Amino acid sequence: VADDFQTEVGFDLQRTEFDGASAPDAESYALGGTWYFDPVNTDGVPLAEAPFLRRSSFVNGGLVRAELGDEKIDILALNFGYYLPDTIFYGRIGAAYFDDFGGDQTNLNATLGVAPLDGLLVTTNFDEDGWDPNVTARYVGTLPNTHFYAGRASLVDPDGGDAYVALDFDYYLDSATSVGAGYSEGDERLELRARKFFSQSWAAGVSAFTADGADGFGVFLGLLAEMFMQKAQQCQPEQAGQLLQA
């Protein structure tokens, strides 16, 4: 039985090589964290999908530094996602701050969704500039061999552009290991990825992608953690010293 967790921390590194000798390579570094309002039960489900399957409300934030030659872009994002108890409704509100070579700017954005079935969430996104028609459906289920899978399909019709589709699929070899692929019609991006939890807490992943005019790879490191105060409240007084030393 895997331990419940309430906090996630992750670090991503991605490198992109553009076609053409004059285009500099790009690198991005991202550090993010998520805190769930209640401990996430991981019994019988993939560790990576437990928050989604348990409909866990959350707050999260992330910092991104992207470097393209001598140019640098910094991004700060904050989100609050909430499943309305005893209903099918989900909502998220977020804010992003960008500091790049065009100056700094902010953007408010949000998501509205419904979860009519266990493992299914259908959403649409909009921001302070309005709403371009878009819909995303994500489903996590099991195959006849009892292995889990996660699929996602998105359709976006941007203002002034052509509509495009994005598809993702991940297959879980067990509760700790997944392999997957994704394709986005918009930039003709094809990605292959794999992720594994080496314990009930630590995870690592790799990815490689090719897109229109670029190729690249990524590395991910992640940590799932219980809240310290929750552990302290649950232990007996004589155990508190051992917890502090752990």
Side-chain angles (χ1 to χ4, degrees):
V1 178
D3 292 334
D4 296 350
F5 66 91
Q6 201 166 0
T7 306
E8 285 186 82
V9 179
F11 173 76
D12 283 279
L13 165 65
Q14 188 172 104
R15 180 176 177 83
T16 303
E17 299 178 354
F18 296 97
D19 297 343
S22 60
D25 296 340
E27 293 183 348
S28 65
Y29 313 88
L31 178 64
T34 302
W35 181 78
Y36 298 99
F37 293 177
D38 297 302
V40 179
N41 186 321
T42 60
D43 293 348
V45 299
L47 292 172
E49 303 294 348
F52 178 80
L53 290 171
R54 306 308 186 200
R55 299 185 181 181
S56 300
S57 299
F58 64 90
V59 290
N60 68 19
L63 292 168
V64 179
R65 159 63 66 93
E67 299 179 353
L68 179 63
D70 294 330
E71 303 289 352
K72 295 179 176 61
I73 303 173
D74 293 314
I75 303 172
L76 169 64
L78 299 172
N79 293 283
F80 165 59
Y82 190 72
Y83 288 88
L84 193 63
D86 302 319
T87 75
I88 64 172
F89 299 110
Y90 166 78
R92 180 198 61 83
I93 186 169
Y97 169 79
F98 304 85
D99 184 5
D100 58 21
F101 38 84
D104 58 345
Q105 55 184 314
T106 58
N107 178 269
L108 299 178
N109 52 83
T111 299
L112 292 177
V114 293
L117 303 171
D118 288 343
L120 175 64
L121 180 63
V122 181
T123 58
T124 189
N125 298 317
F126 57 96
D127 64 18
E128 61 187 46
D129 296 324
W131 179 76
D132 291 338
N134 70 94
V135 63
T136 296
R138 187 168 192 268
Y139 182 73
V140 177
T142 56
L143 295 170
N145 63 0
T146 71
H147 286 226
F148 278 84
Y149 68 91
R152 181 174 59 183
S154 299
L155 174 63
V156 181
D157 187 10
D159 186 22
D162 296 329
Y164 64 89
V165 173
L167 301 171
D168 284 278
F169 184 85
D170 292 281
Y171 176 75
Y172 285 87
L173 303 173
D174 53 41
S175 64
T177 309
S178 67
V179 292
Y183 175 73
S184 176
E185 185 182 23
D187 56 1
E188 299 181 3
R189 178 186 172 111
L190 175 64
E191 180 184 62
L192 300 176
R193 56 182 175 265
R195 182 173 295 191
K196 180 175 178 60
F197 282 86
F198 293 95
S199 71
Q200 293 181 358
S201 299
W202 291 98
V206 294
S207 63
F209 69 89
T210 182
D212 184 17
D215 301 285
F217 67 89
V219 177
F220 167 82
L221 296 174
L223 169 67
L224 305 181
E226 296 180 81
M227 291 298 292
F228 174 81
M229 287 306 297
Q230 179 186 339
K231 270 189 172 182
Q233 291 167 0
Q234 292 175 348
C235 69
Q236 299 299 318
E238 62 270 17
Q239 297 173 312
Q242 298 175 4
L243 180 61
L244 288 169
Q245 297 172 5

